[in-house]
Amino acid sequence: MNARLNNSLLCLYLLIILGFIFSPIIASFIFSFNADRFPSLPLGEFSVKWYEAVNEDADVWAGFYRTLTVGVSVAMVSTFLGFCAAYTDYRYSFTGKSVYLALALLPPTVPLIIMGLAMLFFLSRVDLSGGTHSVIISHVVMCTPFAMALIRLRLSQMDPDLESAAWNLGASQWGAMRFVIFPFCLPAIVSSLLITMAVSFDEFAVAWFVSGLNETLPVRILSFLQGQVSPRINAIGSVVFMLSMMLVIAANIILMRNSSKKTTEE
Amino acid sequence: MSESLVEFRNVSKHFDDYTAVDNLNLSIEQGEFIALMGSSGCGKTTSLRMLAGFEEPSEGEVLLRGKCINHLKSYQRNTPLVWQTLALFPFLSVVENVEFGLRMQKVAKPERRKRALKWLDNLAIAEFAERRVDQLSGGQRQRVALARTLVTEPEILLLDEPLSALDSNMVVHMQGVLTELQRELGITFIYVTHSQSEAFAMADRVVIMNEGRVQQIGSPKDLYQRPNNHFVAGFVGKNNILGGQYKSEHNGIWVLAGNDGDYKIKASEAEPADRSAATDFAISADRVFVSRTVNSDFDNQFLCRLKGEEFVGSAVVLYLETESGEQIISLVTQAQMEVLGDLKKGDYYAHWQSDHCHIIKP
């Protein structure tokens, strides 16, 4: 009886937490379909006019395409770099390896404002600031550690004899990489692509510093807010939220499907 | 001298200040089933890894068909290995696992599929060809691992404790499969194990290693009947190790002065021991008989008390102690036990033939 009570209290607690986290997003989602100019209760009539307004805004579309370009490029480059870093860690031991690992995993711990400022200073020094490529470079710096962490985790689940077994069966180092390491890491690589894309998609602070006139979507949203509080933001917010959630959920499904495979093996 | 298939010539392997293999000299012939046996850390696996190309010898040469292969990479050797962990590729199906070696040799797909299926068929696992590796039982996976190494038709197969993950019934079954396979194919098997029963059941020759050094090389029967040093005598089977000072020789029988009187042993015809030093000899526990009275058929007789007994299935191990406190073990069959009657009371005579004693080096 007591355990049951505990259990339901715990459930309640969980629900409150989830409500606390998601209510702003849900509110934004609901108000994006509200015809009223200002978000207030009771709700006005249902309307998709804010979505239409966003759809007609060329700046929003330009920002979206830019965000997409950045996201896809960042996903590919940082996953590649993350894979290389993780494989280096897996395969070799060398002096200063712990320093190498710490440095490789450091960027997410730097406050975004500092990171943005530093990136701006650095990129303008080398004459690379103010473009889409500046955002790509900065986001690669921020996303590579995520990619590395994911792929490192996968490599740590690999039977250490697997690569040697491939060599033993006549695979060269490249052959073993292509036919054994890569296929083994594939689930982690795919989820790394999705996660890094999601991180880049959402990232605002650093992009705001380095993007100059080439605003990404999150930066565009801020300029909306600065001019006027428009329900259009709710519409954009909902779309962006859906997109990045989809990426994260897809990544999780891929990872989970794989780990459940792993447990049936044991 | 005819050329050996594999030869280790003065091979040593050091890891930092630890010596894993110390001056190994070993020739392995075409078509031989040889087992490297010893407890963990004895250097058997390191020796195998040097042959497979995962470790480079610190000193000496490893030769394959008379050619030094020290600097060849693993993939340039064709010395396939069956791993202790099997190391099957989890993301490939059974048949794709078996095909792997052929795929690396760039054999065309229909051809390699055909050859892989033939091997799966040989090993009676063709029905699982399309399954994932993790859907198979331990014994089936074992067969996949074997098929995967044999598909490239190597002249030598390395096996690193391949049966250690199986339950005991399966081990015996797979021993049969391996011996039969080796005989059928006529290729050389080099089998690393810590298990005496596996090594002795399958191998033509067994190499016993300890602390990086070869202790003795011989057929299972040789090792069992004629251990040539303390380590082997203690490691193989159940041996009593006794010793004494040389006193005299008569018709090839040495008399040694021991703690309980004279031991009579047949001097080894192969290599005469140093008569001035104390001489140790081994007598196998199953050659030591026990009775109530002196039995003149045996030329060694010692009065003993029973200290304990241990039931080991078809036989009983008797732990005896002589008057001077020397421990003697005797392996007695159940039938002999019945003749002896109640063991708890009185004294016994342990006796054995001088023929069955064997001088060992310290």
Side-chain angles (χ1 to χ4, degrees):
Chain A
M1 199 60 210
N2 215 342
R4 205 186 224 173
L5 185 71
N6 266 345
N7 222 342
S8 33
L9 280 177
L10 217 68
C11 277
L12 189 70
Y13 178 70
L14 197 68
L15 279 177
I16 292 172
I17 298 269
L18 286 177
F20 184 74
I21 294 171
F22 284 102
S23 55
I25 298 165
I26 293 164
S28 159
F29 185 70
I30 292 168
F31 283 120
S32 72
F33 292 106
N34 185 7
D36 291 352
R37 176 73 182 80
F38 294 101
S40 63
L41 290 172
L43 290 169
E45 18 176 328
F46 178 85
S47 144
V48 291
K49 71 175 178 188
W50 305 118
Y51 286 88
E52 281 162 1
V54 168
N55 191 25
E56 279 155 20
D57 189 332
D59 280 351
V60 169
W61 275 111
F64 178 75
Y65 284 132
R66 212 167 280 129
T67 303
L68 204 62
T69 317
V70 170
V72 172
S73 325
V74 166
M76 291 195 298
V77 176
S78 55
T79 299
F80 174 73
L81 290 177
F83 177 81
C84 295
Y87 182 72
T88 310
D89 167 51
Y90 166 78
R91 182 80 178 77
Y92 301 99
S93 57
F94 46 90
T95 38
K97 187 166 163 181
S98 51
V99 178
Y100 163 82
L101 272 180
L103 282 176
L105 292 168
L106 198 62
T109 65
V110 178
L112 289 174
I113 301 293
I114 309 287
M115 177 70 103
L117 268 173
M119 275 296 171
L120 177 61
F121 280 137
F122 174 73
L123 291 175
S124 47
R125 233 337 119 80
V126 295
D127 221 12
L128 279 173
S129 73
T132 310
H133 54 270
S134 333
V135 187
I136 295 177
I137 294 169
S138 318
H139 281 184
V140 165
V141 172
M142 297 168 61
C143 290
T144 303
F146 291 107
M148 174 179 168
L150 278 169
I151 295 164
R152 229 175 127 231
L153 184 72
R154 180 70 182 152
L155 280 172
S156 72
Q157 297 167 344
M158 190 165 95
D159 175 350
D161 291 335
L162 229 50
E163 194 179 19
S164 308
W167 297 337
N168 184 247
L169 291 167
S172 63
Q173 302 237 0
W174 271 117
M177 170 64 79
R178 205 179 125 202
F179 296 113
V180 174
I181 306 284
F182 181 74
F184 188 87
C185 291
L186 196 60
I189 289 171
V190 174
S191 47
S192 155
L193 284 172
L194 297 173
I195 296 259
T196 50
M197 198 191 283
V199 170
S200 162
F201 216 80
D202 288 346
E203 200 288 322
F204 155 73
V206 174
W208 184 79
F209 275 102
V210 300
S211 62
L213 294 173
N214 297 296
E215 293 170 324
T216 59
L217 199 57
V219 178
R220 180 73 239 163
I221 295 173
L222 183 80
S223 4
F224 269 131
L225 276 170
Q226 281 168 332
Q228 38 168 242
V229 180
S230 159
R232 273 183 295 174
I233 292 163
N234 291 333
I236 302 175
S238 303
V239 173
V240 171
F241 175 75
M242 292 295 195
L243 270 176
S244 37
M245 278 317 270
M246 262 155 52
L247 291 177
V248 173
I249 289 170
N252 269 304
I253 288 173
I254 290 169
L255 276 180
M256 250 160 37
R257 208 177 47 195
N258 224 277
S259 64
S260 69
K261 232 190 236 172
K262 187 83 201 156
T263 46
T264 52
E265 248 171 69
E266 296 309 318
Chain B
M1 200 181 93
S2 75
E3 193 176 77
S4 299
L5 180 63
V6 174
E7 194 179 344
F8 288 88
R9 207 175 272 171
N10 305 320
V11 172
S12 295
K13 177 68 187 176
H14 312 290
F15 296 103
D16 297 326
D17 51 359
Y18 171 71
T19 303
V21 175
D22 192 359
N23 197 25
L24 173 67
N25 281 291
L26 176 64
S27 296
I28 299 166
E29 306 306 322
Q30 177 75 51
E32 197 176 14
F33 196 137
I34 192 163
L36 305 185
M37 181 173 76
S39 36
S40 62
C42 73
K44 57 190 193 299
T45 300
T46 309
S47 307
L48 194 75
R49 289 177 64 86
M50 285 193 279
L51 182 53
F54 300 124
E55 311 283 355
E56 208 176 299
S58 312
E59 289 149 34
E61 285 185 319
V62 180
L63 297 106
L64 186 63
R65 288 209 175 284
K67 269 188 300 189
C68 173
I69 55 167
N70 279 18
H71 302 292
L72 286 188
K73 301 267 187 237
S74 184
Y75 56 85
Q76 296 162 325
R77 299 190 180 197
N78 202 16
T79 49
L81 171 65
V82 180
W83 299 75
Q84 182 166 14
T85 59
L86 301 186
L88 296 173
F89 303 123
F91 44 85
L92 297 179
S93 71
V94 167
V95 66
E96 285 168 340
N97 260 284
V98 177
E99 276 180 353
F100 192 87
L102 297 174
R103 194 163 146 214
M104 293 304 109
Q105 292 177 354
K106 308 225 162 27
V107 175
K109 187 160 184 174
E111 166 73 9
R112 67 178 193 233
R113 182 60 49 119
K114 205 178 87 198
R115 282 167 67 180
L117 286 172
K118 193 195 96 196
W119 273 103
L120 288 175
D121 199 39
N122 283 357
L123 287 158
I125 42 171
E127 57 186 302
F128 307 118
E130 299 304 326
R131 293 251 187 112
R132 273 209 333 258
V133 172
D134 55 22
Q135 294 168 316
L136 302 186
S137 73
Q140 291 161 349
R141 273 192 245 188
Q142 198 78 56
R143 289 162 188 264
V144 178
L146 275 172
R148 187 178 71 170
T149 47
L150 290 170
V151 74
T152 53
E153 283 156 24
E155 49 188 352
I156 184 166
L157 182 66
L158 314 181
L159 302 107
D160 184 10
E161 308 238 8
L163 307 184
S164 59
L166 300 179
D167 58 50
S168 49
N169 288 336
M170 204 59 200
V171 168
V172 174
H173 178 72
M174 284 307 292
Q175 281 176 3
V177 172
L178 285 172
T179 339
E180 204 172 300
L181 202 58
Q182 194 264 344
R183 229 168 269 152
E184 222 169 80
L185 300 171
I187 66 173
T188 304
F189 275 31
I190 303 181
Y191 191 96
V192 160
T193 182
H194 67 272
S195 153
Q196 268 183 54
S197 60
E198 284 176 29
F200 283 17
M202 293 186 284
D204 302 320
R205 272 201 306 163
V206 178
V207 180
I208 296 183
M209 295 182 76
N210 186 42
E211 292 179 340
R213 290 205 186 85
V214 171
Q215 301 293 325
Q216 191 172 352
I217 304 176
S219 70
K221 196 174 149 194
D222 258 4
L223 292 173
Y224 193 75
Q225 294 182 343
R226 283 189 285 281
N228 68 7
N229 66 22
H230 267 251
F231 179 80
V232 178
F235 192 67
V236 174
K238 270 189 171 5
N239 280 298
N240 292 288
I241 298 171
L242 299 165
Q245 194 66 43
Y246 174 79
K247 256 168 81 178
S248 61
E249 184 185 342
H250 178 68
N251 288 344
I253 306 288
W254 286 21
V255 179
L256 303 178
N259 294 335
D260 294 288
D262 291 347
Y263 295 122
K264 296 182 193 68
I265 62 172
K266 189 171 184 183
S268 161
E269 53 294 336
E271 43 182 319
D274 177 10
R275 300 186 182 197
S276 60
T279 304
D280 285 346
F281 66 91
I283 171 82
S284 174
D286 56 4
R287 299 290 190 182
V288 175
F289 300 95
V290 174
S291 71
R292 291 288 194 179
T293 52
V294 171
N295 184 338
S296 55
D297 291 348
F298 296 89
D299 50 3
N300 284 285
Q301 306 275 348
F302 296 95
L303 190 66
C304 295
R305 267 172 316 163
L306 183 73
K307 302 298 282 183
E309 54 184 310
E310 188 188 343
F311 184 75
V312 289
S314 60
V316 176
V317 181
L318 299 179
Y319 294 89
L320 305 159
E321 195 181 77
T322 63
E323 285 169 299
S324 73
E326 199 90 66
Q327 305 287 332
I328 292 177
I329 54 173
S330 167
L331 197 68
V332 178
T333 63
Q334 293 291 0
Q336 289 169 309
M337 280 300 283
E338 279 164 26
V339 176
L340 280 172
D342 184 10
L343 276 167
K344 294 286 176 285
K345 293 186 241 43
D347 290 337
Y348 298 88
Y349 286 92
H351 37 234
W352 61 84
Q353 291 291 27
S354 56
D355 290 11
H356 296 139
C357 299
H358 182 75
I359 294 180
I360 55 177
K361 283 178 277 186

